[in-house]
């Protein structure tokens, strides 16, 4: 009868998996908590300590570190190795199931001390995984509960192939590599930064058809955004970039919000009482650029919203969900990808973001808007009225998602003109005003960084802008404030810049 060694921290699906193994004729050997969990659920299990003749020691630091165990895992299908096992009356282990102490999760806690972190460094588990993975030509190694069903199906169908064992082996080595990298990063206080990536999806091509592209994830078997494609083809390289930009926008708003994105740039952003109204207002901002873009919503898309979307060519629609009526309508848009992204996939959970550069990687903390304690101050003689304040707050948040130099014009809680990605700020102002047309009159204006000259204020005044919000901090702030006062424009300084490159 084949022997399985099981020692797991994450006990999800463990009982069902073990029961399947027993039914298939496997003998289960386990340690400590794993053994107790199986016995509690009436699973026949043997204690590893009874086999080795040694119990846990050093407060649980030593459990499975014994030659009787490792010889049984590392023994090859050759006469010499079989003789060693027989002479010592040692077992052969054909399946090793291990997951590790949650070191990475534990050290995310801001209050963890060094001693607690050290006790969450797994030694025996890593050694077991590495031993089993090294001997994949004979041994199955399982480090992820998600693979339990795969292994059971293979055993039932007689498909315990070397191809399967090899794929599980490299996954195990990936887990131990990532595990050690996080320990090194923690102990070195950032001198070592762990970056383990798993290929999850081959893309048709990159930004252009002559470029190759692959989607990698920080965890095995993840889809982009942890989402589900409900309709249409798999996301392309450019789709993933645009969906990322759109989901970042709508994740930063609490109210029902829609963002329309084209080439990583927002064409329109709006918040309203319903998704349908938010979409209508976002589309009005720049309906020409919206053609061929992606639509992101932070609320379920219903029939009313879907009806409004049916006539525009949209590459992709992403949302936490879609009603059946909405899906019926959207199903007629044959070339439109419909993606459901769990509401739990919020960027507020992310602490750091990475960007590749030549021969290196840049790492920075995520810009979640103004830091806690930021105080805005009115710097002009005229103060914004209540209606303008609502629009300024919305425009300021929307502006953070536009490429620098970024200018956003807004009325209420919707953009009416967006100008971004220009090397000079006054040009971004002109583009935003041109896109807004007559809607610029009475709108407010947000700028992601200070105005270096009063020219942008003068252009805004001619268009009828009523209030401005910007960080301030220019050596010519007094000139800029004077220009706003001369034009009867209210202006707020936030003291916080929000460049986006």
């Amino acid at each position: 009868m084949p022997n399985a060694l099981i020692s797991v921290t994450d006990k999800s699906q463990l009982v069902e998996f073990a029961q399947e193994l027993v039914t298939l004729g496997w003998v289960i050997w386990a340690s400590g908590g794993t053994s107790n969990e199986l016995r509690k659920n009436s699973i026949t299990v043997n204690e590893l300590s009874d086999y080795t003749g040694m119990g846990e020691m050093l407060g649980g630091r030593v459990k499975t570190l014994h030659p009787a165990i490792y010889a049984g895992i590392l023994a090859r299908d050759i006469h010499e190795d079989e003789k060693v096992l027989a002479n010592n009356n040692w077992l052969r282990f054909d399946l090793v199931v291990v997951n590790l102490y949650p070191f990475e999760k534990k050290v995310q806690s801001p209050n963890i001390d060094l001693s607690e972190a050290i006790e969450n460094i797994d030694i025996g588990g890593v050694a077991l995984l590495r031993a089993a993975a090294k001997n994949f030509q004979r041994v199955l190694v399982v480090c992820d509960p998600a693979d339990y069903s795969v292994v059971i199906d293979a055993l039932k169908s007689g498909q315990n192939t070397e191809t399967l064992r090899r794929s599980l082996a490299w996954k195990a080595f990936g887990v131990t590599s990532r595990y050690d990298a996080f320990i090194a990063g923690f102990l070195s206080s950032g001198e070592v930064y762990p970056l383990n990536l798993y290929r999850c999806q081959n893309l048709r091509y990159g930004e252009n058809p002559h470029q190759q592209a692959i989607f990698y994830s920080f965890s095995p078997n993840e889809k982009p955004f942890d989402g589900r494609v409900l309709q249409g083809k798999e996301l392309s390289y450019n789709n993933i970039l645009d969906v990322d930009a759109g989901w970042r926008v709508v994740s930063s708003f609490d109210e029902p919000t829609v963002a329309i994105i084209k080439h990583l740039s927002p064409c329109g952003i709006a918040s309203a009482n319903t998704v349908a109204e938010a979409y209508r207002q976002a589309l009005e901002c720049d309906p020409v650029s919206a053609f061929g873009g992606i639509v992101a919503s932070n609320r379920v898309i219903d029939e009313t919203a879907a009806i409004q979307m049916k006539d525009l060519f949209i590459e992709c629609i992403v949302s936490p969900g879609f009603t059946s009526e909405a899906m019926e309508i959207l199903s007629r848009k044959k070339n439109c990808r419909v993606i459901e992204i769990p509401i739990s996939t919020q960027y507020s959970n992310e602490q750091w973001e990475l960007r590749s550069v030549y021969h290196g990687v840049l790492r920075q903390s995520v810009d979640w808007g103004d830091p806690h304690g930021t105080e805005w101050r009115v710097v002009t003689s005229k103060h914004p009225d209540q209606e303008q304040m609502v629009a300024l707050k919305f425009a300021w948040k929307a502006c953070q998602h536009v490429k620098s130099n970024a200018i956003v014009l807004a009325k209420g809680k919707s953009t009416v003109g967006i100008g971004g990605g220009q090397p000079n700020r006054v040009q971004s102002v002109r583009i935003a005003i041109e896109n807004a047309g007559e809607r610029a009159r009475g709108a407010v204006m947000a700028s992601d960084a200070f105005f270096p000259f009063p020219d942008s204020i003068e252009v805004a005044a001619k268009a009828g802008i009523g209030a401005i919000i910007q960080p301030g901090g220019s050596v010519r702030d007094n000139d800029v404030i004077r220009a706003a006062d001369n034009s009867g424009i209210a202006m707020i300084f936030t003291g916080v810049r929000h460049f986006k490159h």
Side-chain angles (χ1 to χ4, degrees), residues 351-355 362-367:
Q351 292 181 300
W352 302 96
E353 56 188 6
L354 307 174
R355 291 182 70 173
L362 292 170
R363 175 181 185 248
Q364 70 171 353
S365 57
V366 177
D367 183 0

Side-chain angles (χ1 to χ4, degrees), residues 299-314:
R299 295 291 196 279
V300 171
I301 290 178
D302 60 14
E303 180 181 19
T304 306
I307 289 172
Q308 294 203 17
M309 298 176 190
K310 67 182 178 66
D311 294 327
L312 178 68
F313 171 56
I314 301 171

Side-chain angles (χ1 to χ4, degrees), residues 6-9 11 14 30-39 45:
I6 306 178
S7 179
V8 295
T9 300
K11 295 177 176 58
L14 169 64
S31 63
T34 303
S35 176
N36 292 337
E37 180 70 14
L38 294 176
R39 191 169 289 107
V45 59

Side-chain angles (χ1 to χ4, degrees), residues 215 217 220-229 235 247 339-345:
F215 172 75
S217 174
N221 306 318
E222 278 195 0
K223 291 293 186 181
F225 313 102
D226 196 25
R228 289 197 306 140
V229 178
L235 290 171
W247 196 245
I339 313 295
E340 182 180 75
I341 300 179
I343 197 65
S344 59
T345 308

Side-chain angles (χ1 to χ4, degrees), residues 438-456:
E438 285 302 312
R439 290 175 300 165
R441 188 160 300 280
V444 304
M445 182 169 78
S447 173
D448 66 336
F450 64 66
F451 294 101
F453 301 99
D455 52 359
S456 294

Side-chain angles (χ1 to χ4, degrees), residues 2 26 32 95 130 135 157 218 234 258-259 281 325 354 393 463 470:
W26 286 72
L95 170 63
R130 288 179 60 82
N135 204 21
S157 61
F218 292 110
E234 291 289 339
V258 168
Q281 294 180 24
E325 295 82 3
L354 307 174
K393 289 177 181 178
Q470 57 131 326

